[in-house]
Amino acid sequence: MSETASQLDESDATSLDVDGVPRIGRSMTRMRLMTGRRLIGRLAIQSVAPGLELSHLDVLDAIRRAQPAGEVTVGAIAEMLRIDPSRASRVVADMVGRNVLRREASQADARRIIVVMTPLGQRLLSEIKAQKLSIVSEIVADWPKEDVDAFAALFERFIGGYEKVFLSRDKDTPG
């Protein structure tokens, strides 16, 4: 190992006890690696709809997040997932064929087709939420309530700040 790399490792280890920012960065990397394995999604699919793919869950989540703003189109799904509209259309068509989604005429403009979740799609989202809450509950099961409450508040604050920075920088980043 080069002397510079060794010095960086030593200063990084020293900062562990002094500065929380590098610790947060390392924890974020570990969490990204674990969430990248998509355990919660895989468990939900296994329980509710074997045969679905993780990309289907991404579409369901996009619909869930977009619904409060109004009707959801395939174009809106493609934009939210940052995928080609033709890819979004194929995934939605597959999900319609599996009875997870259905297409309907828009109430605002009958010429426009929107995408809505079926009861199976709703059940799948509910299972994802149940799996997530179960895992989080297991992680904090031996924590004092005050620690859970403090962590929840700080984590919400951190994620809010993260989203703000991400959105301000992401608008200029290509797909």
Side-chain angles (χ1 to χ4, degrees):
M1 178 171 1
S2 73
E3 186 176 327
T4 306
S6 177
Q7 289 170 343
L8 286 175
D9 286 346
E10 287 173 21
S11 67
D12 196 37
T14 304
S15 68
L16 250 175
D17 296 327
V18 177
D19 188 1
V21 172
R23 288 176 61 197
I24 293 169
R26 284 189 296 277
S27 293
M28 286 175 65
T29 299
R30 289 173 47 215
M31 186 169 185
R32 182 188 55 80
L33 291 171
M34 287 185 288
T35 57
R37 294 182 184 119
R38 312 258 331 242
L39 174 65
I40 293 169
R42 287 186 288 122
L43 290 171
I45 287 172
Q46 182 181 332
S47 295
V48 176
L52 285 186
E53 299 173 17
L54 290 168
S55 61
H56 295 130
L57 298 182
D58 295 335
V59 169
L60 285 176
D61 186 58
I63 292 169
R64 179 193 59 78
R65 288 183 289 129
Q67 278 179 331
E71 298 175 327
V72 183
T73 63
V74 171
I77 293 168
E79 188 175 317
M80 289 183 78
L81 297 180
R82 300 180 84 174
I83 61 175
D84 187 80
S86 63
R87 167 87 176 118
S89 184
R90 286 191 301 274
V91 174
V92 166
D94 184 37
M95 294 175 76
V96 167
R98 294 171 186 257
N99 195 35
V100 177
L101 299 176
R102 74 174 173 274
R103 297 177 191 261
E104 294 180 353
S106 165
Q107 296 298 311
D109 180 354
R111 297 171 296 176
R112 191 172 68 177
I113 300 298
I114 61 169
V115 180
V116 296
M117 277 185 252
T118 64
L120 178 59
Q122 291 288 349
R123 203 166 105 225
L124 194 49
L125 274 184
S126 294
E127 182 64 22
I128 291 168
K129 182 179 178 181
Q131 291 285 349
K132 186 183 302 179
L133 293 178
S134 172
I135 289 170
V136 172
S137 294
E138 186 176 335
I139 292 166
V140 300
D142 61 346
W143 292 20
K145 181 183 179 334
E146 299 79 30
D147 286 359
V148 174
D149 293 343
F151 179 75
L154 291 170
F155 195 61
E156 282 176 346
R157 192 164 117 201
F158 178 81
I159 294 299
Y162 187 84
E163 286 173 335
K164 184 177 176 183
V165 169
F166 178 81
L167 292 173
S168 73
R169 294 181 185 181
D170 189 53
K171 63 184 168 210
D172 299 324
T173 306

